[in-house]
Each structure stands twice: as C-alpha cells, then as structure tokens.
Amino acid sequence: MSEFTKIVGNEDGSLGTIDIYIPEQCMSCPRIIEKLNDLEEYRKTVNKLLEMAFSGDEATLVNKATGEVLDKDQSTKIVCKMAASGMDELDENIAKAQRDIYTLTNGCAGPLVLGGADGSRVVRVAMCDSPKVFYSGLGETQIGEPVIIQRDLKKDED
C-alpha cells in the first residue's frame, strides 16, 4: 500500500464518495440534490489536485503578478498545499452540508410535486417542501430556487 493510499484511503488515490445521511423521503429533493452536486464538483477538483500532487509529473505554475515560471519544487509544494487545503475545506463543506440537510429535512415529508396540462403537454415541477424553506420564503417571489421540471407530451387515452 502506497503512502498516498494510506493518506487518502482509496486504491486509485482519489477521495471516495461523499457520505451524507439523507432521509428517504428527501432523496429526490432538488435543493438537496443541488447541495450534493456542488460537493461532488468540489471533490472532483480536490481529486485533480491530489492527482497532480502525487503523480510525480511535473506541474508548471506561473506567478500571475510577475509572469515568472516557478520551478518544479516550488510548483509541487504549492500544488501539495492546495490539495491539503482542499481536503480540509471539503471536510468542512461536507460537515456544513450535513448540518444544512438535517435542518432542511427535519419535519419534511419530501418534495412538493405540482403539475399542469394544456391538452397536449404535461409539466410536473418538484420543489423542496421543507418547513424551513416554505415559511422562510412565505409571501416572497423566489427566483433561482432549485426545482426539478419534467416535461412530457400528453398521451392519447383512447
């Protein structure tokens, strides 16, 4: 087992999946899916930094202020620091997401699904129905709130 695997914990040297508890009724909640997607993108970025730090390949970094190309040792040290910092931040982000998800799912029965049809088209929209979200935005217009939209053509029922 390599030092890298001992530190990171996966045979391929990558950070594994993000282990967050989500109640069954909220698994398809668009707000929670968005949080998990954000964490997954951050995890992928940290994995790329870890790969650069431990691959043995030369990393070339350029000082933006001076245009100076940093030597291999300087570049490797910077990439290693970025990877370590990224791992710490990922841990913090996971803990924050778990707290946020607990708050959102506490007392929630799951996403609210609404639908409508105009004769030939059907649209269904799912949104977070957490009491925490519902009551905090009561009476306000929401733009940019995560939702899941499903569009279909209405099938003939003959």
Side-chain angles (χ1 to χ4, degrees):
M1 180 182 292
S2 70
E3 279 301 305
F4 186 79
T5 304
K6 287 179 190 173
I7 294 168
V8 177
N10 286 343
E11 290 300 319
D12 68 352
S14 65
L15 293 173
T17 59
I18 296 169
D19 188 25
I20 291 184
Y21 171 74
I22 302 165
E24 187 67 34
Q25 75 273 12
C26 294
M27 291 289 226
S28 62
C29 175
R31 191 172 290 262
I32 289 175
I33 291 170
E34 180 181 59
K35 284 188 178 299
L36 294 177
N37 286 342
D38 290 346
L39 282 174
E40 180 61 15
E41 287 304 310
Y42 195 83
R43 184 190 67 83
K44 287 178 183 177
T45 301
V46 172
N47 275 340
K48 286 179 185 171
L49 287 170
L50 288 169
E51 184 180 323
M52 286 174 60
F54 290 99
S55 70
D57 295 340
E58 283 193 33
T60 304
L61 299 178
V62 177
N63 182 328
K64 283 178 84 173
T66 65
E68 174 191 3
V69 176
L70 303 177
D71 68 36
K72 180 184 178 203
D73 290 337
Q74 285 177 307
S75 295
T76 300
K77 285 179 185 177
I78 290 170
V79 170
C80 287
K81 285 181 182 179
M82 289 171 61
S85 175
M87 288 175 68
D88 289 341
E89 286 181 31
L90 181 61
D91 286 343
E92 291 169 15
N93 290 342
I94 290 170
K96 182 183 182 321
Q98 184 65 76
R99 287 189 304 272
D100 291 349
I101 288 170
Y102 175 78
T103 300
L104 282 174
T105 61
N106 190 22
C108 184
L112 176 63
V113 179
L114 305 170
D118 71 355
S120 63
R121 299 174 296 178
V122 178
V123 176
R124 283 182 273 311
V125 178
M127 65 193 83
C128 182
D129 195 31
S130 167
K132 181 77 173 170
V133 172
F134 184 82
Y135 292 109
S136 66
L138 200 58
E140 297 177 16
T141 301
Q142 302 293 322
I143 297 176
E145 182 174 333
V147 297
I148 296 172
I149 302 170
Q150 182 179 355
R151 296 175 177 93
D152 291 307
L153 293 175
K154 194 168 187 177
K155 295 179 182 165
D156 290 332
E157 297 178 9
D158 295 337

